[in-house]
Amino acid sequence: MTTCPEWNGLSGAYVLDALIDEEREEFERHLELCVACALEVVELREVVVRLAEYLACQPDPGLRARILTGIED
């Protein structure tokens, strides 16, 4: 992912809704003109979705213990 040096790091904060209103508005204006930053935002949003899906699918905490017990038998 390549973004503009002057906007480096704001894509992640933008995706996580961590910018103050003025920064968000200015960054959104920039996104209308900058394909690289807009693409980075799209890619980071996909990562956030995948992370959320991963965290939502965590196995039951006792699963590891049951598997190890089954192996020992």
Side-chain angles (χ1 to χ4, degrees):
M1 289 183 278
T2 306
T3 58
C4 304
E6 66 270 15
W7 296 96
N8 189 27
L10 284 183
S11 296
Y14 176 76
V15 168
L16 295 173
D17 198 26
L19 298 177
I20 61 173
D21 290 341
E22 294 81 20
E23 289 175 322
R24 180 181 42 77
E25 291 166 4
E26 187 175 357
F27 190 65
E28 286 174 345
R29 284 192 295 275
H30 173 73
L31 289 176
E32 293 174 7
L33 305 172
C34 182
V35 174
C37 288
L39 179 59
E40 183 175 56
V41 166
V42 168
E43 291 171 347
L44 288 172
R45 284 184 174 149
E46 290 173 4
V47 169
V48 168
V49 168
R50 288 184 185 151
L51 286 172
E53 289 171 349
Y54 169 77
L55 293 174
C57 296
Q58 289 295 307
D60 147 12
L63 178 61
R64 182 175 190 276
R66 289 193 307 274
I67 289 172
L68 292 176
T69 299
I71 291 172
E72 292 171 358
D73 291 342

